[in-house]
Amino acid sequence: MRGIPAKQGLKKGLILAFAVSAGLSLTACSDIDGMFGDDGQTMAATDLPPDAGAPPTGAYQPVATGMVPATTITPVNIDGGSDTGTAVNKTIQTIRSQVAGLQSKLSANAARLADLRNQGAGAASAYQEAKARITTRLQVGTTRGNPELVAEWNTAQGQLDALTTNINALNALGTDVTNDSSTAHYAQDQISATYAVSGAVDEDHRQLRLLEDQTAQTIVMIDRLLKEVSDNVQRSTAYAATERANLTTLAASIKSGELYGGGMGAVSTLGGVQAAGGSPLVVIKFDRPGVDYQQTLYAALNQTLQNRPSAGFQVVAVSPTRGSAASVQIAQSTARRHAQDVMRSMTDMGVPATRLAVASTTDPGATTSEVRVFVR
């Protein structure tokens, strides 16, 4: 696993207890060895695509790339009016210019949304392809820490980071559209207030009524665009949060060379000890070299965290008391070493170190070194 930057904090998501963030930016992680670190970093919003040029006169429907449906926004034609020479008409002209400016921004923002949706779809597609390649290799079996899978994992990570940047840009777009909505509502209030201003002629009120209708239509279109942006942010945020947790599991799987998750929840014990009441969740007997316990440990942790997302765990090193004082002391040291190995496996699987505690004890009934994991 050499040559890959470490300590970027994949442990932010528990195995299947990863909470979907509702914030405006997502936590981005990088590099597979970083799953052992605690530090995370937040992606900053990137520069947004430049606004489009002059708005079209008809319906705006950007050309889709085949990834996602196009966003359809129909700009409202803001009709002009003759200058009646009154002070009221001057106010009408100012409001009309303001609403016309919103039409230009509406078309440009619709184009930005279409571009961002296609970019996000491209990142998600590339991520899924990399993830599928990793899963396929792990399914048929591979070596521990296979560097080819590490490279694929880093590719998948990079695509999720690109999706994070895309979400930040969508949030920035949502802020711009929200500001436009406020401006449109303010223009609507100005129109209502202008009706009460004295010194207007009949033509002024005719222009006011027309502008009032066109402003209301503008508000409808802006609010529709805002809803589309919000829906995209929510879907992408939930997707990225879920896949961050999945990447944590894949990182642990690559490290062990075995795909975690097969038969999840089907096994919750080891050594025949039931995980009920004060009994241990799992018991791992180290009665032979190279005991393979990771898959069953993962299934037990996964099932527990599904039922109790905030659960903590105590890892207890258990040693037998038979033999001489020297052999008992050696057995205690061996049990503690095994407990530390189990704790490292649990952190690899995404359990934060802050939720783990370690202890040691002896058991006259034990015949070999054991590690017992309890739910706290």
Side-chain angles (χ1 to χ4, degrees):
M1 307 287 280
R2 296 276 304 168
I4 302 168
K7 305 295 184 184
Q8 295 297 324
L10 277 176
K11 293 187 294 183
K12 294 297 181 183
L14 294 180
I15 299 166
L16 281 183
F18 194 102
V20 176
S21 171
L24 295 185
S25 61
L26 296 176
T27 300
C29 311
S30 62
D31 307 303
I32 192 168
D33 280 346
M35 65 186 177
F36 309 122
D38 288 313
D39 299 329
Q41 62 184 19
T42 301
M43 296 292 294
T46 58
D47 292 336
L48 298 173
D51 287 349
T57 56
Y60 176 74
Q61 187 169 1
V63 177
T65 63
M67 295 181 183
V68 293
T71 299
T72 301
I73 294 293
T74 305
V76 179
N77 290 323
I78 307 301
D79 296 330
S82 59
D83 186 354
T84 63
T86 65
V88 171
N89 193 263
K90 298 296 184 186
T91 301
I92 294 173
Q93 292 179 31
T94 299
I95 300 173
R96 183 185 294 122
S97 176
Q98 192 175 43
V99 176
L102 289 174
Q103 295 302 317
S104 298
K105 297 182 69 175
L106 179 62
S107 294
N109 287 335
R112 284 170 60 187
L113 175 60
D115 289 342
L116 289 172
R117 290 177 68 184
N118 282 330
Q119 291 169 20
S125 178
Y127 164 77
Q128 288 294 342
E129 290 174 2
K131 178 183 172 184
R133 289 191 292 268
I134 294 171
T135 303
T136 300
R137 289 287 297 278
L138 289 172
Q139 187 67 50
V140 299
T142 187
T143 57
R144 293 175 179 265
N146 187 325
E148 294 177 345
L149 295 190
V150 172
E152 289 284 8
W153 189 96
N154 285 330
T155 297
Q157 170 80 343
Q159 294 302 325
L160 273 190
D161 288 347
L163 186 59
T164 297
T165 302
N166 184 268
I167 293 170
N168 290 334
L170 281 170
N171 277 305
L173 173 58
T175 299
D176 291 345
V177 178
T178 298
N179 291 336
D180 291 344
S181 179
S182 298
T183 301
H185 281 88
Y186 178 69
Q188 192 176 49
D189 292 340
Q190 283 184 304
I191 292 171
S192 298
T194 304
Y195 276 113
V197 177
S198 62
V201 297
D202 290 342
E203 173 61 17
D204 291 334
H205 278 207
R206 187 195 69 79
Q207 293 183 28
L208 270 177
R209 287 191 296 270
L210 179 60
L211 184 57
E212 186 176 38
D213 291 342
Q214 293 168 346
T215 302
Q217 295 174 48
T218 300
I219 290 173
V220 169
M221 300 307 296
I222 292 175
D223 289 348
R224 179 183 301 171
L225 180 61
L226 184 59
K227 183 179 184 304
E228 289 196 31
V229 174
S230 177
D231 289 347
N232 274 270
V233 168
Q234 291 179 18
R235 284 193 298 268
S236 297
T237 300
Y239 173 81
T242 299
E243 293 307 322
R244 290 288 180 196
N246 290 338
L247 269 187
T248 301
T249 302
L250 278 181
S253 298
I254 292 170
K255 185 174 183 290
S256 67
E258 178 182 7
L259 182 63
Y260 290 152
M264 287 184 200
V267 182
S268 61
T269 64
L270 266 175
V273 179
Q274 295 297 318
S279 299
L281 177 68
V282 294
V283 176
I284 308 171
K285 295 181 180 292
F286 290 90
D287 53 358
R288 62 188 183 280
V291 175
D292 187 8
Y293 60 86
Q294 284 85 356
Q295 182 73 22
T296 308
L297 175 63
Y298 174 82
L301 295 174
N302 181 39
Q303 185 181 50
T304 300
L305 289 171
Q306 283 182 332
N307 297 327
R308 292 178 53 187
S310 61
F313 302 92
Q314 184 171 40
V315 181
V316 180
V318 181
S319 57
T321 58
R322 300 176 184 178
S324 64
S327 62
V328 169
Q329 186 174 8
I330 292 173
Q332 290 175 346
S333 297
T334 301
R336 285 193 293 268
R337 186 177 69 252
H338 289 321
Q340 291 295 332
D341 291 340
V342 172
M343 285 188 65
R344 278 193 291 271
S345 293
M346 293 173 72
T347 56
D348 289 356
M349 295 172 186
V351 181
T354 54
R355 295 197 185 188
L356 298 175
V358 65
S360 60
T361 188
T362 58
D363 184 352
T367 59
T368 186
S369 172
E370 297 180 0
V371 173
R372 301 173 185 174
V373 180
F374 295 83
V375 180
R376 295 190 296 164

